[in-house]
Amino acid sequence: MAAVSPNPSTLTAPARLTDSLGRVIHDLRVSITDRCNYKCVYCRTGEFGAQYPELSVEEYLRLIKLFVGLGITKVRLTGGEPLLRRGLVELVRELAGLRTLWDEPLDLALTTNGHLLDTLAAPLKAAGLDRVTVSMDAVDAPTFERITRVPGSFETVLRGVRAARAAGLTPLKINCVLLRGFNDDQIEGFARFAREEDVVVRFIEFMPLEEGRLWSPEIVVPLKEIVARIGRVLPLIDMPARDASETARRYTFSDGVGEIGIIAPVSQAFCGACSRVRLTSDGKIRTCLFSQVEHDLYGRFRAGASDEELRDYIFRTIEGKEARHHIGEPGFLKPSRSMVHIGG
Ligand code: SAM
């Protein structure tokens, strides 16, 4: 397979992906399967099975290289559940060998439910993965397994988290989607978990991206409430943002031990600083989680478009990135794909 040169002098389009609002896009999220071994109640209806096709590992690599040649510096592999994907370790090894336009290594991360991490953490680290984010929606086994609908999953994921930390896939982040009445009783437990397990716990406001119909404004636990509840047990202190496109508001505790992040796309949307673009498992570009249109990059690739034509297509697609989402506004429409099929 021919490599795509990241040399900016070979590009007809300007080297950096920039949308019509001047936002520079440097963060690519790639779904490498939309299969998942969990059926989290807020995400899935309960049916297993892939809905969209998957590309070969070589094809993902080829498409990702096009983006890297346009200024992407960070790639996050996701799904579905990316650890289910055959060829993952080889894909990570190839990606880890890529250089950005600025001749630096890619920042390479992966989001997982952690179920298979116990055995895969060390090989992934050895292949060049920098970090993982593990999704955990509870810190007690019964609540956790009521949400995942997989018996024994809590202990399995805990082993995975510890294996990832031991392998050096750090800083290790734990993402928890909070839903009122489902797991909001876990907030204080997660604050203790962050300190005891030396992980960054990030709470995420629930977005209307589920397969079924669960979302309502009332089910969202907003940032202010999370901060107030943790603060009643352990006072929180604001931490400065590391860069303008950071999605999480960061906090530590008064003794400096532990970190909490809160990602508040509903109550405090951060679209104005968005630096992300997504590639679905079947090779479609999504310029926003809530896009109503998808852009068929893989279709053009299959039809024989040249690298230069594909880069121009990516460039023009990014220019049309949506200004913001419209969650909670009259006329809001859920996208046709749900989170598990887009890639979170
Ligand atoms: N299977 C992997 C995992 O569990 O992390 C990756 C895919 S999963 C779709 C990515 C993240 O999206 C998870 O942290 C999940 O909790 C989150 N998520 C799923 N549905 C969501 C929703 N409607 N709102 C906010 N986050 C959601």
Side-chain angles (χ1 to χ4, degrees):
M1 192 197 64
V4 177
S5 167
N7 180 351
S9 65
T10 64
L11 306 181
T12 51
R16 295 230 71 176
L17 288 172
T18 309
D19 72 10
S20 62
L21 300 172
R23 293 173 295 187
V24 176
I25 307 305
H26 51 77
D27 182 347
L28 173 67
R29 307 201 162 198
V30 185
S31 172
I32 54 173
T33 178
D34 71 341
R35 290 172 288 131
C36 190
N37 42 357
Y38 282 6
K39 297 178 284 186
C40 297
V41 290
Y42 63 86
C43 186
R44 315 282 311 281
T45 55
E47 300 301 315
F48 277 129
Q51 187 174 333
Y52 291 92
E54 295 173 12
L55 311 190
S56 71
V57 163
E58 291 71 26
E59 288 169 332
Y60 287 127
L61 185 60
R62 183 86 191 277
L63 297 184
I64 293 170
K65 281 180 175 174
L66 294 170
F67 282 91
V68 172
L70 286 165
I72 289 292
T73 56
K74 177 174 171 184
V75 172
R76 176 173 293 275
L77 299 177
T78 182
E81 174 45 45
L83 299 192
L84 291 177
R85 179 57 208 234
R86 188 176 297 186
L88 170 66
V89 174
E90 290 72 26
L91 177 61
V92 166
R93 189 172 299 116
E94 293 288 339
L95 291 175
L98 297 185
R99 310 288 293 179
T100 69
L101 281 183
W102 298 271
D103 199 25
E104 287 170 348
L106 273 186
D107 181 9
L108 196 52
L110 178 142
T111 300
T112 172
N113 61 27
H115 195 80
L116 300 171
L117 205 48
D118 189 16
T119 48
L120 277 169
L124 285 170
K125 179 69 186 178
L129 187 68
D130 293 312
R131 288 170 288 108
V132 289
T133 298
V134 181
S135 305
M136 289 182 72
D137 299 311
V139 282
D140 75 70
T143 309
F144 192 92
E145 287 160 25
R146 210 166 35 244
I147 292 173
T148 62
R149 297 190 267 198
V150 174
S153 51
F154 180 73
E155 284 303 324
T156 309
V157 172
L158 201 54
R159 272 200 307 280
V161 166
R162 291 173 179 163
R165 203 182 40 213
L169 290 167
T170 52
L172 189 61
K173 291 179 188 159
I174 304 291
N175 277 358
C176 166
V177 178
L178 282 175
L179 284 81
R180 196 178 304 286
F182 282 73
N183 64 345
D184 56 330
D185 59 344
Q186 303 286 308
I187 294 177
E188 294 81 359
F190 265 116
R192 283 188 291 275
F193 186 81
R195 292 160 65 83
E196 288 162 12
E197 293 285 334
D198 189 21
V199 292
V200 179
V201 169
R202 304 189 318 164
F203 297 106
I204 305 176
E205 290 177 351
F206 181 46
M207 294 178 277
L209 286 169
E210 72 282 26
E211 281 181 342
R213 287 186 171 272
L214 189 62
W215 193 89
S216 71
E218 293 72 37
I219 206 168
V220 178
V221 185
L223 177 141
K224 276 188 182 158
E225 182 177 333
I226 303 168
V227 172
R229 281 194 37 192
I230 298 179
R232 280 200 283 276
V233 186
L234 288 163
L236 283 175
I237 296 171
D238 274 307
M239 291 172 80
R242 275 171 298 222
D243 67 74
S245 63
E246 194 164 60
T247 52
R249 300 275 282 269
R250 299 161 63 229
Y251 305 85
T252 186
F253 298 97
S254 48
D255 60 5
V257 178
E259 182 178 326
I260 297 288
I262 304 179
I263 302 174
V266 181
S267 73
Q268 302 193 15
F270 38 79
C271 307
C274 184
S275 60
R276 280 169 293 283
V277 60
R278 288 180 162 79
L279 189 64
T280 61
S281 60
D282 58 340
K284 306 265 169 54
I285 300 174
R286 292 186 65 94
T287 48
C288 174
L289 269 177
F290 295 93
S291 292
Q292 293 296 328
V293 284
E294 298 183 333
H295 307 272
D296 191 5
L297 180 63
Y298 181 65
R300 282 165 177 76
F301 167 81
R302 280 295 299 268
S306 68
D307 285 348
E308 192 170 317
E309 286 166 339
L310 293 172
R311 280 195 292 258
D312 279 346
Y313 180 69
I314 296 171
F315 195 85
R316 279 184 286 108
T317 299
I318 298 287
E319 273 182 340
K321 181 174 165 68
E322 297 80 345
R324 62 185 184 91
H325 70 64
H326 297 275
I327 299 175
E329 296 175 17
F332 168 80
L333 274 180
K334 267 168 80 167
S336 57
R337 290 197 202 217
S338 60
M339 190 65 132
V340 68
H341 303 294
I342 295 173

